[in-house]
Amino acid sequence: MPSTSKTEATKSILPSSYDIISVKLTLSNSNVIEIKELVASLEIVESIFAPVIRTSMRIIDGFGLLTDGHVVGGEKISILIGRFPLDSDEAESFKINVVIAEIHDHTTPKPGLQAYSFTCLSEHAFVNNATSINRSFDGTITDLISNICTNDLNTKLDNIEEKSSDAISGIYPDLKPYDAITWLLRNSTDEGTPYFFYETIQDGLQFNSYKQLNDKEVYREYNNSSFYKSTVATPGHYNEAKRKIIKMSSELNTSIYELIGKGAYSSTVQTLDISTKKYTSVNNSYKESFEKLNPRGKMFSDNIQFNNTQLVNNHKSKEFFITKNSKSFKGRNNYHNVISNSISDKTSQFASLSFMGLDIFLYGDFNLAVGNKVNLQITKSTDVNIQESNRKTGMQDLLLSGNYMVTSIAHVFDGTEYKCDVGIQKDSLNFDLDSEIKIGSSQNTSSSILRNG
């Protein structure tokens, strides 16, 4: 794959430029060959919901790499991509090591030439598939997950710090390492917020709570402005382009129907301690403290009711049934003892995060990572008749603007440009749904607009 041409004096004049420095393939006999000239396109995907980085590359092969190199999968690939940005003196780059998991989509575009795709994963994904855990455990969630990474996945957790004070004991019931970690994540909480176990290109394996991610500073503010203020090929223009939303789309997914059933607004936790024969039932409601990303407005209106009951009081919408055994480990908690105090809050928070999602396309950013918090300043689409009405309140789209969490990124190098397809989500709004509704409040609003429209 050739370098993009958007450079001036070795510096990139646009954030869509990049240079494939090397793509080195290690064959099964340990020989290393350079294949960057065979790579037509490359995509690197990271997600806050996945513990592994996935890389896809399209290969245009004119000399029989698969046959002569005995390439069938399992070979390692080292990728180095970089650039020198116009607005900085420091280089930006990706350096990742992956393993070929699948070879697919083979075609012969013309005689003597074949094309196919490599799908590659982080090496610990292969270790995970080759390993099962069926031993006892004792310790905090952080320590247990760190130990699985070190001892079972042959890798390391890159941000180790004590985040959970509750030590638990139990037995892993013959689980793959990833499944064991997911099982433990159900039992980890940070002030009622869930934890995420994921991998980023720049920082490796991460174990962070939603609270910790939200406490971060906003990584960058983005806008959908149609105009540039600076001249092309200047640091100012480069900086503007970094903040520009090229394209934006969304299914919104604001499904109150699904969120009710998921326990986003209210739920009940019923527990039975088989050692003491004690039964408890606790009702839980959505807490306003959960509005982490946009604290100005919760994601629902108190005016919405079913069976004459507010959403936060429909406790039977989601029920959790937990069996405890408080005397199974003397002086220690077992797996289920602590989950009863957190499962309702965590489920509510996790469901709330899916309240609204957007898919935005940005110019390439080597430093953007899942788990970052970003801010969107979106100009609303407004009919000229509405702009001239007395309801005009400004040009910011309050529904789409605000803080979001980055939950997925596809870094796409298509042979011409480097762009990022970024999935972002938020759990609340930039306005109060229980504030005065102006549409329909007078004949001068809704009826006149409909006539003029």
Side-chain angles (χ1 to χ4, degrees):
M1 178 189 292
S3 303
T4 55
S5 59
K6 301 178 181 66
T7 58
E8 183 176 276
T10 73
K11 285 204 168 188
S12 302
I13 63 173
L14 288 174
S16 59
S17 59
Y18 66 95
D19 181 19
I20 299 291
I21 300 170
S22 67
V23 180
K24 295 183 178 180
L25 171 64
T26 301
L27 302 175
S28 58
N29 63 358
S30 298
N31 286 344
V32 179
I33 60 174
E34 177 62 67
I35 63 168
K36 73 173 185 177
E37 298 300 330
L38 307 184
V39 180
S41 61
L42 177 66
E43 180 179 277
I44 308 172
V45 178
E46 55 184 83
S47 169
I48 201 170
F49 306 112
V52 62
I53 293 172
R54 179 177 58 83
T55 303
S56 300
M57 59 183 72
R58 188 64 176 169
I59 304 296
I60 307 298
D61 181 3
F63 70 92
L65 173 64
L66 297 182
T67 302
D68 295 343
H70 298 182
V71 177
V72 294
E75 295 81 7
K76 297 180 181 180
I77 296 181
S78 178
I79 303 169
L80 179 59
I81 310 172
R83 69 179 174 207
F84 286 94
L86 190 60
D87 66 344
S88 174
D89 293 328
E90 296 184 6
E92 300 173 337
S93 65
F94 284 153
K95 184 176 182 180
I96 62 172
N97 297 303
V98 291
V99 180
I100 299 175
E102 183 182 2
I103 304 172
H104 55 96
D105 293 339
H106 185 279
T107 62
T108 53
K110 61 181 181 180
L113 197 67
Q114 57 182 332
Y116 46 87
S117 297
F118 289 155
T119 293
C120 308
L121 303 173
S122 305
E123 186 170 356
H124 53 76
F126 292 81
V127 178
N128 173 76
N129 270 9
T131 308
S132 292
I133 307 176
N134 51 6
R135 62 174 182 268
S136 63
F137 61 82
D138 181 83
T140 65
I141 299 294
T142 302
D143 288 341
L144 295 175
I145 291 178
S146 179
N147 288 337
I148 290 175
C149 290
T150 302
N151 300 324
D152 300 291
L153 292 174
N154 196 28
T155 184
K156 64 184 179 71
L157 195 61
D158 288 276
N159 61 330
I160 300 175
E161 60 181 275
E162 190 54 62
K163 303 169 184 175
S164 173
S165 59
D166 292 322
I168 61 174
S169 301
I171 298 174
Y172 296 120
D174 196 23
L175 298 172
K176 297 292 185 185
Y178 287 166
D179 294 333
I181 290 173
T182 300
W183 190 59
L184 291 170
L185 287 179
R186 293 178 55 200
N187 213 6
S188 57
T189 181
D190 184 4
E191 297 185 15
T193 67
Y195 275 90
F196 300 93
F197 177 69
Y198 57 98
E199 185 175 26
T200 69
I201 300 169
Q202 296 285 18
D203 298 319
L205 283 171
Q206 303 290 301
F207 175 58
N208 286 306
S209 71
Y210 181 51
K211 178 182 182 301
Q212 290 170 316
L213 295 176
N214 181 70
D215 287 344
K216 290 182 177 182
E217 296 294 326
V218 171
Y219 170 75
R220 183 167 292 158
E221 181 181 290
Y222 299 94
N223 65 79
N224 64 337
S225 172
S226 303
F227 307 101
Y228 286 90
K229 298 179 181 179
S230 303
T231 305
V232 177
T234 64
H237 183 272
Y238 191 97
N239 192 270
E240 281 189 72
K242 289 195 305 185
R243 302 170 185 273
K244 192 74 63 180
I245 298 174
I246 305 170
K247 185 173 65 173
M248 179 173 63
S249 63
S250 175
E251 296 180 359
L252 288 183
N253 295 326
T254 54
S255 173
I256 188 174
Y257 171 77
E258 290 191 1
L259 290 176
I260 290 174
K262 290 179 178 179
Y265 310 114
S266 57
S267 62
T268 299
V269 178
Q270 301 184 48
T271 61
L272 175 63
D273 191 331
I274 60 175
S275 61
T276 63
K277 306 300 186 289
K278 182 180 179 180
Y279 167 81
T280 60
S281 178
V282 178
N283 294 333
N284 295 278
S285 297
Y286 175 93
K287 297 179 180 179
E288 292 188 1
S289 60
F290 284 174
E291 296 161 15
K292 301 294 183 180
L293 292 180
N294 289 296
R296 291 181 57 185
K298 61 182 183 293
M299 62 178 181
F300 61 93
S301 170
D302 290 329
N303 296 325
I304 303 297
Q305 299 185 16
F306 300 98
N307 286 336
N308 297 318
T309 305
Q310 291 181 335
L311 296 175
V312 293
N313 294 322
N314 281 295
H315 300 295
K316 294 298 183 180
S317 61
K318 179 71 174 181
E319 294 185 279
F320 300 96
F321 301 92
I322 299 174
T323 302
K324 301 169 61 175
N325 188 354
S326 60
K327 296 183 179 182
S328 57
F329 295 97
K330 186 177 181 179
R332 307 285 281 182
N333 288 313
N334 70 355
Y335 175 82
H336 295 95
N337 277 14
V338 295
I339 196 173
S340 60
N341 298 323
S342 62
I343 190 170
S344 181
D345 288 348
K346 287 171 50 183
T347 301
S348 176
Q349 182 59 70
F350 194 80
S352 299
L353 183 57
S354 64
F355 161 64
M356 181 182 292
L358 296 178
D359 195 36
I360 60 175
F361 287 82
L362 309 172
Y363 289 115
D365 188 342
F366 285 91
N367 297 311
L368 181 63
V370 293
N372 285 157
K373 183 165 66 174
V374 297
N375 180 269
L376 266 57
Q377 295 296 315
I378 305 300
T379 302
K380 64 183 179 181
S381 302
T382 307
D383 184 271
V384 64
N385 294 317
I386 299 178
Q387 289 185 31
E388 295 173 353
S389 75
N390 59 8
R391 298 193 305 108
K392 183 176 178 182
T393 57
M395 291 304 295
Q396 185 185 46
D397 189 319
L398 296 181
L399 177 67
L400 300 180
S401 296
N403 291 339
Y404 290 78
M405 179 188 291
V406 177
T407 54
S408 66
I409 309 175
H411 300 269
V412 181
F413 306 86
D414 64 5
T416 303
E417 290 185 314
Y418 167 29
K419 293 181 180 178
C420 292
D421 181 356
V422 185
I424 56 177
Q425 295 177 220
K426 67 175 180 177
D427 65 356
S428 53
L429 295 168
N430 260 357
F431 59 96
D432 184 0
L433 286 174
D434 290 323
S435 61
E436 179 187 358
I437 297 177
K438 297 181 179 180
I439 292 180
S441 61
S442 69
Q443 291 183 347
N444 193 37
T445 56
S446 60
S447 58
S448 62
I449 291 171
L450 289 173
R451 286 197 303 270
N452 293 331

